[in-house]
Amino acid sequence: MDGSSLLERYLERCDGQFKDDLSTSPQLFTPMSPYDVDLPIQTTEDVLFGSQFNQSKELPTDFSSVDLSFLPDITQDNKEQNLFEDGHEMQKELDGSTSNEDSSILTHESSLAYPDASQATEASGVCPPLTPMAPMTPVTPASESSGIVPQLQNIVSTVNLACKLDLKNIALRARNAEYNPKRFAAVIMRIREPRTTALIFSSGKMVCTGAKSEEQSRLAARKYARVVQKLGFPAKFLDFKIQNMVGSCDVRFPIRLEGLVLTHQQFSSYEPELFPGLIYRMVKPRIVLLIFVSGKVVLTGAKERSEIYEAFESIYPILKGFKKAS
Amino acid sequence: MAARGSCPGCGSAALVEDSHYAQQQLVCAACGCVLAEGLLTTTYAEEEHLREVAYSQSTGQKEQLSRCLQRGIRRVQDLCKVLQLPTVFEETAVSYVQRALQHPSFHLVSLEKKELLGGCCVFVTCRQHNWPLTMGTICSLLYAKQELFASVYLSLQKELGLSVPALSLADLVKTHLNSFRLFQHTADVPAPFVENKEKVVARTMQIVELASETWLVTGRHPIPIVTAAAFLSWQSLQPAARLACTLARFCKLAGVDLPPPAHLRLKELLEILLRMASQLAWLRVFNMDKKTVVKHIGDLLQHRIFLLKNAFCPEDEEEQRAAAPGEASPGSPGAAGGAAQGEGCPSGGKRRPLLPPCLINPRKRLRTAAPSASDSAVTGEEPISDSEIEQYLRGPEEIRAFRKAQAWL
């Protein structure tokens, strides 16, 4: 049957590890939020899911009539916003098509999972890599999905203004600039919105720090370039590049750092005499994580936002393993 | 005098050392060809006097190594002698020093840092052989600043790709207590203060294990914990005579430094012990305080597993109790399980979760809230108003005033 071969293909792609865990952890859909309805079908395998829907008889057939083509192929950054939109759209459509309330849709959703589990006993309704905004991640069992999103705390970017600058002149004529050539060979300029600091060198190169997002960093850099322009220099805005991104989050449980350094010796460096946190140098993606006993994690060294999210999703199951049940 | 080698001319082995006037020569007895001149001097004095061999070609082994390397090797050898390390350690450390100084990243490092390289290599060697050596010891031996040592150590670890196992606390306890001077009768130590070393070591190890189980050790400097644990164990072995002695006096008598965090560690340890004491049946009748609990440390340590389980609720219970009301999902087994477990923790008695002190007493969070929706709507390409930029520029009068002010400074 067409449905079963498609199903098999889909199941092959999902990690086999999931087989055991779905049957043992029925709280797969526990951390539900309003947009959970569209989660299992967010990928291109929506056709498969449609076939799965058809297999369960007790479900309303309204799901199969739902048009899923509106779900775009989206990048990491936009996924958060799109999920909100998609979730609400889905809700509206379902509400319109059925007379059930939201809660019963949700229960239908969960009952969908169980019959699938019993039928297929394999990964169902869980897709290949989702964004961290999704309560579920694919290869790990649901009990290990983090549901935590690291927040960006600092972005460092560089831009080339492509003109020689007279730093003394800038420091004299700008209010927000400080220049102390004996201490450092650059002008330190600050603006209030977005709250950032820039180091402006006489060669025309500039470093902008303190922004909380890539767009804010770009806006801030443009503002600094404008200030320099207004001071009379022919500043341009060339080669804007994000050099480093720092994020932080809290896993909400204490971590046995001594245990972690024993099992992951090749990546970790834990020297309590030097620094209270464990320095974990992840290879893929190339991110450095500072892990503290309180459960707070700082991720740095990323050039892209997705690297931070990916790194956190990789480290979360490892840290969960050290959540000591005392 | 027989010399090595054979004559390149005739192949005979009959080489003779002879002097032509005052110059030593190696001559073949068969054909008379001169093999070498000035080869056979053995002392510097001879050479300097005769100026036969260039200084850079002397046979001294040391001159082939750079001065930096020589100094590094000598430093390593001295350190190993002072710390009485086995010879294997010395060889390993010397090889590390050689590798490090040949590594390009250490060529341009300041001299001060190069001095510390020898110490770092000894430290790494000791750690790899599980020999408990703290950075504090090495720093004091090298008269080095802790931060400088730390940076050299970290760069050494990264460049050479060395894997350094963690410091084992058990061994550290033994070595640290070795330096305490309370185990023999000496003039300045009163009689009731002298104690049997094995007993103190054993009890200190138990207290340190207890500290590591209750999250007092992770992320903290190890030596203050060992000092505080040693003080408690020493006091508890003869509480009558020793309760009056303070931690500072104890360290002075023992001849060790009192690290500043030791007082805090002592306070934390006593708090843990007091909570454990509240669960011990025959101690409940007493009103325990920080002084009296010391007398019962022996009992507390003996039953510590049971007492820890009863005195502290599991750390995730706090979480689940907080999370359960927050979860809106209907009929989810997770929330139900959490609620049931939350009831399991007895409501009577002040049980607190077993968490690191930084989570029990969190400092006020000065961090700003998560970025609002309006922040996330920034695209980076918005137009920038002139007025906004102008607020950052000085007017002409302001510039004049500023120039005048600067002239005064």
Side-chain angles (χ1 to χ4, degrees):
Chain A
M1 194 170 88
D2 190 35
S4 56
S5 66
L6 282 172
L7 178 62
E8 277 165 44
R9 249 199 300 135
Y10 170 73
L11 292 171
E12 271 166 32
R13 267 183 260 176
C14 286
D15 195 354
Q17 192 180 46
F18 199 83
K19 278 184 221 182
D20 308 319
D21 295 309
L22 184 53
S23 44
T24 54
S25 55
Q27 58 261 40
L28 171 61
F29 290 95
T30 312
M32 280 296 107
S33 32
Y35 48 86
D36 64 346
V37 177
D38 67 329
L39 269 166
I41 33 188
Q42 204 192 358
T43 67
T44 52
E45 278 92 2
D46 44 13
V47 177
L48 289 175
F49 205 77
S51 68
Q52 284 179 23
F53 276 113
N54 292 330
Q55 283 171 23
S56 351
K57 292 178 191 66
E58 63 259 43
L59 282 184
T61 51
D62 302 301
F63 283 109
S64 53
S65 66
V66 167
D67 178 20
L68 305 164
S69 53
F70 66 88
L71 290 168
D73 209 17
I74 42 191
T75 62
Q76 206 73 15
D77 299 2
N78 304 330
K79 264 181 182 160
E80 299 156 30
Q81 292 150 353
N82 283 355
L83 274 173
F84 273 103
E85 298 159 13
D86 296 344
H88 289 140
E89 274 184 89
M90 279 291 292
Q91 288 284 16
K92 283 191 232 118
E93 286 192 41
L94 291 164
D95 279 346
S97 53
T98 72
S99 53
N100 296 327
E101 295 170 9
D102 287 4
S103 52
S104 54
I105 288 178
L106 288 175
T107 50
H108 276 129
E109 185 65 22
S110 9
S111 64
L112 166 66
Y114 303 139
D116 275 350
S118 54
Q119 284 170 22
T121 70
E122 280 161 324
S124 67
V126 181
C127 354
L130 292 178
T131 73
M133 286 296 280
M136 299 180 287
T137 53
V139 288
T140 57
S143 55
E144 285 189 40
S145 70
S146 63
I148 306 171
V149 183
Q151 267 181 47
L152 289 181
Q153 302 290 347
N154 183 24
I155 312 269
V156 177
S157 56
T158 53
V159 73
N160 188 1
L161 302 176
C163 67
K164 292 276 172 266
L165 301 172
D166 181 355
L167 297 184
K168 267 184 111 91
N169 199 335
I170 292 178
L172 176 65
R173 293 170 47 215
R175 284 195 185 126
N176 53 345
E178 59 184 84
Y179 180 49
N180 193 345
K182 282 182 244 166
R183 227 178 73 196
F184 192 57
V187 162
I188 302 169
M189 196 180 280
R190 293 170 224 268
I191 58 174
R192 279 184 279 273
E193 183 54 46
R195 230 166 73 92
T196 48
T197 306
L199 301 172
I200 307 177
F201 294 84
S202 53
S203 61
K205 300 260 172 68
M206 182 171 84
V207 179
C208 174
T209 63
K212 297 273 192 230
S213 79
E214 303 90 315
E215 297 84 13
Q216 282 187 15
S217 190
R218 190 183 175 89
L219 180 61
R222 281 174 57 226
K223 289 192 182 174
Y224 287 114
R226 272 296 208 89
V227 171
V228 171
Q229 266 178 358
K230 285 220 183 272
L231 287 171
F233 299 93
K236 303 197 223 351
F237 195 77
L238 307 176
D239 308 323
F240 174 80
K241 181 165 182 242
I242 305 256
Q243 300 289 354
N244 186 24
M245 299 172 74
V246 180
S248 73
C249 56
D250 189 0
V251 299
R252 303 200 175 283
F253 53 82
I255 303 170
R256 287 276 169 200
L257 301 178
E258 310 94 347
L260 182 58
V261 77
L262 279 178
T263 52
H264 290 78
Q265 200 175 24
Q266 63 272 47
F267 305 116
S268 336
S269 156
Y270 170 54
E271 296 289 335
E273 293 178 75
L274 290 183
F275 188 63
L278 187 148
I279 303 171
Y280 192 101
R281 293 181 193 275
M282 196 175 278
V283 172
K284 190 171 171 348
R286 224 175 120 248
I287 302 281
V288 173
L289 298 93
L290 303 177
I291 304 169
F292 295 90
V293 68
S294 56
K296 305 244 177 4
V297 180
V298 174
L299 306 99
T300 181
K303 293 268 197 289
E304 295 276 322
R305 188 187 277 246
S306 57
E307 288 177 14
I308 292 205
Y309 293 154
E310 205 185 316
F312 181 69
E313 290 301 318
S314 313
I315 200 86
Y316 189 74
I318 298 172
L319 296 179
K320 263 289 203 133
F322 285 96
K323 180 175 174 174
K324 173 103 182 218
S326 54
Chain B
M1 181 163 49
R4 312 183 287 274
S6 54
C7 169
C10 61
S12 102
L15 301 175
V16 170
E17 200 192 282
D18 199 2
S19 47
H20 179 69
Y21 301 108
Q23 192 182 43
Q24 287 278 18
Q25 284 181 345
L26 187 63
V27 186
C28 171
C31 66
C33 83
V34 176
L35 270 76
E37 294 167 314
L39 242 195
L40 302 170
T41 53
T42 51
T43 66
Y44 275 123
E46 281 180 46
E47 296 195 11
E48 275 166 18
H49 180 64
L50 300 169
R51 299 249 180 268
E52 279 169 352
V53 177
Y55 182 74
S56 56
Q57 289 167 5
S58 76
T59 52
Q61 187 72 8
K62 285 196 282 181
E63 262 67 56
Q64 287 171 10
L65 300 170
S66 70
R67 221 174 306 172
C68 228
L69 196 50
Q70 282 175 46
R71 238 189 301 194
I73 293 177
R74 208 178 316 140
R75 182 64 59 107
V76 165
Q77 288 168 341
D78 291 341
L79 276 172
C80 292
K81 252 182 244 135
V82 167
L83 295 167
Q84 297 175 345
L85 302 174
T87 35
V88 178
F89 288 33
E90 192 179 311
E91 290 155 17
T92 325
V94 167
S95 75
Y96 282 147
V97 170
Q98 279 176 327
R99 270 174 65 190
L101 284 170
Q102 279 157 11
H103 201 281
S105 57
F106 284 107
H107 282 172
L108 300 175
V109 155
S110 71
L111 269 181
E112 212 181 344
K113 286 191 176 175
K114 280 188 184 161
E115 297 283 310
L116 299 182
L117 260 181
C120 283
C121 294
V122 171
F123 178 72
V124 168
T125 315
C126 286
R127 278 284 210 87
Q128 287 180 334
H129 292 261
N130 281 324
W131 189 278
L133 184 67
T134 58
M135 287 191 198
T137 315
I138 293 274
C139 283
S140 61
L141 284 174
L142 293 174
Y143 304 108
K145 291 185 284 229
Q146 176 87 307
E147 303 87 44
L148 201 58
F149 184 85
S151 69
V152 178
Y153 168 70
L154 288 173
S155 51
L156 179 75
Q157 201 185 4
K158 200 167 80 149
E159 298 299 335
L160 294 189
L162 303 168
S163 75
V164 183
L167 187 64
S168 121
L169 268 185
D171 297 330
L172 183 64
V173 165
K174 283 192 218 124
T175 15
H176 192 63
L177 289 181
N178 276 343
S179 57
F180 280 45
R181 289 191 304 115
L182 287 169
F183 308 125
Q184 289 118 0
H185 292 265
T186 48
D188 47 351
V189 175
F193 285 8
V194 181
E195 186 54 69
N196 179 310
K197 184 164 163 194
E198 279 75 37
K199 277 201 242 169
V200 176
V201 170
R203 191 162 275 198
T204 309
M205 294 255 263
Q206 288 183 319
I207 296 184
V208 168
E209 267 172 37
L210 176 69
S212 82
E213 272 172 57
T214 53
W215 296 102
L216 295 183
V217 168
T218 313
R220 268 96 171 270
H221 211 285
I223 292 286
I225 299 167
V226 174
T227 312
F231 174 62
L232 275 180
S233 67
W234 172 81
Q235 264 193 336
S236 68
L237 288 169
Q238 237 183 65
R242 298 173 185 169
L243 266 180
C245 180
T246 61
L247 180 58
R249 187 160 170 240
F250 169 75
C251 290
K252 206 154 67 140
L253 288 171
V256 291
D257 292 324
L258 172 60
H263 283 287
L264 292 166
R265 301 294 160 263
L266 186 62
K267 215 164 66 161
E268 287 165 359
L269 273 172
L270 284 170
E271 196 237 333
I272 299 276
L273 289 168
L274 274 170
R275 282 190 183 271
M276 285 167 68
S278 68
Q279 295 297 316
L280 204 53
W282 61 88
L283 290 182
R284 281 217 195 105
V285 289
F286 298 115
N287 210 357
M288 287 275 132
D289 74 351
K290 286 198 279 208
K291 289 282 178 184
T292 48
V293 75
V294 176
K295 296 186 213 155
H296 305 281
I297 285 185
D299 290 333
L300 293 175
L301 288 174
Q302 202 179 358
H303 304 282
R304 65 178 181 276
I305 303 171
F306 167 75
L307 292 174
L308 277 180
K309 213 162 36 140
N310 284 2
F312 300 99
C313 40
E315 61 224 23
D316 41 2
E317 269 188 30
E318 265 309 275
E319 261 182 55
Q320 287 197 357
R321 264 186 272 136
E327 277 183 350
S329 51
S332 69
Q341 258 188 321
E343 288 158 19
C345 186
S347 49
K350 327 155 250 162
R351 268 169 64 133
R352 73 150 168 87
L354 194 54
L355 290 173
C358 55
L359 289 178
I360 305 279
N361 318 313
R363 264 189 276 177
K364 271 223 193 109
R365 297 196 63 200
L366 306 160
R367 232 178 286 167
T368 54
S372 56
S374 60
D375 284 352
S376 58
V378 172
T379 61
E381 299 294 343
E382 285 116 339
I384 304 168
S385 65
D386 276 350
S387 55
E388 190 187 344
I389 301 294
E390 241 126 68
Q391 69 174 313
Y392 294 121
L393 303 178
R394 289 199 172 114
E397 326 76 39
E398 209 183 319
I399 293 179
R400 265 180 262 132
F402 190 71
R403 264 218 186 98
K404 249 194 276 178
Q406 258 193 336
W408 290 338
L409 287 168

